[in-house]
């Protein structure tokens, strides 16, 4: 079976009960760190061009921006801006962890669009991040976030295994390598997040991707197929991936000090994210990021 088929089968059957608690906790810490970075980038206007473009695109009211009271925008536009906001604050924007700056904005945007439960969003983030971690190079030289983002989007859109495979295959057409350093921070991640949703929507509308697209990528990257899919569902590459180094308590205090938001709002945001597996509202999480960023 092609690698994309293996991941499609696994992702469509995955539930929160199949995911070990340590993996869920590690992912929760990464989500907290990513959202905190996005709030900080929004507060200081680090990627205002992305916000302006996203608002200009507009579209149907599907998803909101981190740290901005811009109202609901089309999900690909929101993912573009949120991907840049999260990516801009990373200390290692080219590292393997950059995949989360693509997968999370996709899951937040599509999760809001389809009104997914919190546990569904968490499962989509973990599935997409697991795919990215299994394909990523140790030096972060591969752009794999769009592949994980497409898998997360397809999972939240409840596509069947064939459409999931197509979504990931189509996303492979958006895989590109960096052509230099510098430029606007977070740009690559934001574009990848928007493209991941477009890939999933194309698959949902009947577009097909190459049946062995991931296999071709593995060959070009000199990855053994057996290594990429080994232990899928039993072993978790994303668990070993570098997690956040701050505790939730440190996040609370440092966010307040750095961003000027109220301690109550910061603690409420931490509580919402920590409870993600228990179906909190994504709307509440995004609304709290606006309050913290505004320093109210």
């Amino acid at each position: 079976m092609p690698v994309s088929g293996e991941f499609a089968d696994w992702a469509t059957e995955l539930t929160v009960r199949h995911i070990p608690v340590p993996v869920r906790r590690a992912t929760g810490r990464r989500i907290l760190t990513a959202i905190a970075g996005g709030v900080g980038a929004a507060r200081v206007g680090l990627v205002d061009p992305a916000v302006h473009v996203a608002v200009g695109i507009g579209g149907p009211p599907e998803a909101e921006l981190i740290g901005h009271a811009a109202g609901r925008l089309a999900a690909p536009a929101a993912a573009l801006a949120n991907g840049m906001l999260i990516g801009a604050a990373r200390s290692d924007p080219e590292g393997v962890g950059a995949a989360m700056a693509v997968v999370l904005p996709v899951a937040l945007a599509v999760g809001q669009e389809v009104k997914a439960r919190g546990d569904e969003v968490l499962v989509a983030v973990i599935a997409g991040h697991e795919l990215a971690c299994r394909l990523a190079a140790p030096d972060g030289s591969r752009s794999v976030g769009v592949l994980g983002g497409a898998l997360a989007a397809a999972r939240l859109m409840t596509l069947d295994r064939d459409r999931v495979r197509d979504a990931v295959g189509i996303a492979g057409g958006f895989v590109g390598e960096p052509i230099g350093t510098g430029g606007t921070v977070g740009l690559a991640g934001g574009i990848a997040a928007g493209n991941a949703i477009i890939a999933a929507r194309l698959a949902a509308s009947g577009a097909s991707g190459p049946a062995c697209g991931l296999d071709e990528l593995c060959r070009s990257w000199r990855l053994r197929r057996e290594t990429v899919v080994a232990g899928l569902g039993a072993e978790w590459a994303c668990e070993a991936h570098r997690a956040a180094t701050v505790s939730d308590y440190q996040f609370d205090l440092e966010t307040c000090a750095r961003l000027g938001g109220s301690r109550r709002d910061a603690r409420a945001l931490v509580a919402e994210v920590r409870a993600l597996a228990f179906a909190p509202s994504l709307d509440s999480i995004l609304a709290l990021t606006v309050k913290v960023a505004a320093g109210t």
Side-chain angles (χ1 to χ4, degrees):
M1 180 184 294
V3 172
S4 54
E6 295 257 13
F7 276 100
D9 284 349
W10 168 73
T12 52
E13 298 295 327
L14 188 64
T15 70
V16 73
R17 295 190 301 275
H18 296 137
I19 302 171
V21 171
V23 175
R24 281 184 269 161
R25 287 177 176 168
T27 303
R29 289 195 297 272
R30 296 183 191 111
I31 291 173
L32 272 173
T33 301
I35 289 178
V39 171
R43 183 170 173 81
V44 300
L46 199 55
V47 292
D48 278 352
V51 176
H52 295 157
V53 168
V55 172
I57 292 172
E62 295 169 340
E64 298 186 23
L65 304 187
I66 292 172
H68 286 276
R72 287 180 174 264
L73 311 172
L80 164 69
N82 285 338
M84 288 188 68
L85 285 163
I86 291 173
R90 293 193 57 84
S91 60
D92 59 339
E94 300 301 330
V96 65
M100 182 59 79
V102 179
V103 175
L104 178 58
V106 169
L108 289 176
V110 179
Q112 290 179 88
E113 176 192 357
V114 303
K115 298 179 174 59
R117 300 190 311 269
D119 62 319
E120 294 169 335
V121 174
L122 182 62
V123 170
V125 171
I126 291 173
H129 197 218
E130 179 69 13
L131 170 60
C133 286
R134 284 172 175 261
L135 294 173
D139 62 359
S141 59
R142 298 190 195 117
S143 303
V144 294
V146 67
L147 301 171
L151 182 66
R155 176 69 169 72
L156 285 165
M157 293 164 66
T158 64
L159 303 187
D160 63 37
R161 67 169 301 277
D162 291 333
R163 299 285 76 80
V164 172
R165 184 200 64 201
D166 286 328
V168 175
I170 292 168
F174 296 122
V175 172
E177 305 304 334
I179 60 174
T181 58
T184 301
V185 291
L187 185 61
I191 293 174
N195 284 341
I197 296 178
I198 291 171
R201 288 186 174 186
L202 284 168
S205 297
S208 59
C212 297
L214 284 187
D215 294 81
E216 292 296 331
L217 284 178
C218 288
R219 277 192 284 272
S220 66
W221 292 338
R222 298 182 179 179
L223 292 174
R224 294 181 58 198
R225 177 193 181 283
E226 295 77 11
T227 302
V228 172
V229 299
L232 190 60
E235 300 173 5
W236 297 85
C238 64
E239 183 181 6
H241 175 67
R242 185 174 62 82
T245 56
V246 298
S247 69
D248 293 348
Y249 179 71
Q250 289 172 320
F251 169 89
D252 182 345
L253 298 183
E254 291 178 6
T255 298
C256 291
R258 185 173 69 252
L259 305 180
S262 75
R263 182 168 297 186
R264 179 186 62 189
D265 290 339
R267 282 181 172 157
L269 177 57
V270 171
E272 286 277 356
V273 174
R274 289 182 68 182
L276 190 61
F278 302 100
S281 168
L282 289 180
D283 293 344
S284 296
I285 291 175
L286 272 296
L288 281 165
T289 68
V290 175
K291 293 182 72 175
V292 175
T296 57

